[in-house]
Amino acid sequence: MNIGIDAGGTLVKAAYMHNHSLKFKRFPISRLGDAASWINGFEKAKICMTGGKAALLKSMINYKVAEMVEFEATCDGVRYLLAKNDGSEKSYILTNVGTGTSIHHIDHNKQQRLGGTGVGGGTIMGLSQLLTGLTDYEAIVSLAAKGVRDRIDLKVSHIYEGAEPPLPGDITASNFGNILPQGSTDPLTKEDRLASVIGLVGETVAVVSVLAAGHYGVSSIIYIGSSFVRNDPLKEVVESYTKLGGASPVFPEHGEYSGAIGALLSLG
Ligand SMILES: Nc1ncnc2c1ncn2[C@@H]1O[C@H](COP(=O)(O)OP(=O)(O)OP(=O)(O)O)[C@@H](O)[C@H]1O
Ligand SMILES: [Mg+2]
């Protein structure tokens, strides 16, 4: 049994082969002990770990475990997923929206980390909690889907009211920038607040990725990370902002397991 593990800041992801098909498993980092017990339950598995919590998880395993650099594992996993999905991309920007966001340029077999932003999935969780008290990911995303951003976010068309804007009027001029001028009308709902949090994160991630794509002359941006899991509101924002920026967004199926898949592949 071979198992690839990506222990990130928020979630531990595992990828392994079972009956000739790729299987996945996930544990929250608050249940790292459960992840360790699950791994220790396999007598003589071959394990490769990656991610920021790999060393900690490794120290809880009863047998020898290999370790691998996170960015290499992630890029190898993405390459595998794209090839499997018939993807022809050879040169692209890879944006991993995990707890934080990491941006890479992939050109055939070379990968270069370009940088990142602290605005990521952890921001969705943290700001959502501050603004609504909610802590459950599924609840946050499902309420965000019903929210309206218009009274919280300032659009270009709000500023250029009655005039011809030099930009598409629908794009955001200032995330959360519409709160002060609007004064005290109806209270803002949780749904509206959450929709604006997702908007802030999605737009930031997409704009930074689009700038990187322009700089390197590539058109495809591959978006991965658990922040997109069952999160249509985030996908929609990222998709529209990426297209507005002239690039093509791709959300590979199982992209959140890229690091775990890369670690699994390294075991041969
Ligand atoms: N069940 C879940 N519980 C908590 N967060 C979730 C869940 N499903 C999706 N998420 C979202 O995914 C994000 C974590 O993504 P991911 O698993 O890719 O990060 P990570 O690998 O743990 O972190 P990093 O790579 O930054 O160390 C969370 O911040 C949250 O927005
Ligand atoms: Mg990660």
Side-chain angles (χ1 to χ4, degrees), residues 124-136 139-141 143-144 152 188-197:
I124 296 178
M125 302 305 290
L127 267 186
S128 295
Q129 185 179 344
L130 280 177
L131 295 176
T132 66
L134 292 171
T135 55
D136 180 63
I140 288 168
V141 171
L143 288 187
I152 296 179
L188 298 164
T189 65
K190 286 186 178 175
E191 285 84 346
D192 295 348
R193 292 165 202 233
L194 295 169
S196 287
V197 168

Side-chain angles (χ1 to χ4, degrees), residues 32-223:
L32 197 60
D34 291 356
S37 306
W38 179 72
I39 297 164
N40 282 324
F42 298 97
E43 280 291 299
K44 277 198 191 109
K46 266 169 76 187
I47 312 265
C48 181
M49 289 191 185
T50 191
K53 300 280 185 202
L56 180 61
L57 181 57
K58 200 175 159 183
S59 72
M60 300 161 79
I61 306 305
N62 300 333
Y63 49 92
K64 217 172 148 245
V65 168
E67 219 179 308
M68 180 176 186
V69 177
E70 177 174 353
F71 304 139
E72 298 297 336
T74 306
C75 294
D76 289 352
V78 167
R79 233 174 253 123
Y80 172 89
L81 287 174
L82 292 180
K84 211 173 134 197
N85 298 343
D86 223 25
S88 53
E89 281 92 355
K90 295 280 179 269
S91 183
Y92 47 86
I93 296 298
L94 171 64
T95 299
N96 184 2
V97 189
T99 312
T101 298
S102 190
I103 299 172
H104 309 254
H105 175 222
I106 315 294
D107 190 14
H108 293 83
N109 286 326
K110 288 190 310 228
Q111 81 88 12
Q112 182 193 3
R113 184 172 187 274
L114 304 176
T117 162
V119 176
T123 312
I124 296 178
M125 302 305 290
L127 267 186
S128 295
Q129 185 179 344
L130 280 177
L131 295 176
T132 66
L134 292 171
T135 55
D136 180 63
Y137 173 77
E138 307 277 342
I140 288 168
V141 171
S142 73
L143 288 187
K146 298 180 207 140
V148 178
R149 297 172 55 190
D150 234 37
R151 289 196 300 141
I152 296 179
D153 296 319
L154 194 70
K155 288 182 181 176
V156 166
S157 61
H158 288 133
I159 297 184
Y160 276 81
E161 206 181 353
E164 191 58 44
L167 298 167
D170 228 25
I171 67 174
T172 308
S174 177
N175 295 85
F176 289 86
N178 205 20
I179 290 181
L180 287 180
Q182 69 142 2
S184 58
T185 47
D186 294 339
L188 298 164
T189 65
K190 286 186 178 175
E191 285 84 346
D192 295 348
R193 292 165 202 233
L194 295 169
S196 287
V197 168
I198 300 252
L200 167 75
V201 173
E203 289 171 8
T204 304
V205 159
V207 165
V208 174
S209 304
V210 160
L211 287 174
H215 188 79
Y216 286 92
V218 301
S219 58
S220 296
I221 303 175
I222 315 293
Y223 291 102

Side-chain angles (χ1 to χ4, degrees), residues 198-257:
I198 300 252
L200 167 75
V201 173
E203 289 171 8
T204 304
V205 159
V207 165
V208 174
S209 304
V210 160
L211 287 174
H215 188 79
Y216 286 92
V218 301
S219 58
S220 296
I221 303 175
I222 315 293
Y223 291 102
I224 60 163
S226 308
S227 305
F228 294 109
V229 173
R230 289 186 303 282
N231 192 345
D232 285 339
L234 184 68
K235 274 190 186 164
E236 280 160 21
V237 173
V238 168
E239 182 171 13
S240 77
Y241 255 62
T242 301
K243 288 181 176 168
L244 256 168
S248 309
V250 180
F251 300 93
E253 196 186 3
H254 305 306
E256 68 276 19
Y257 290 102

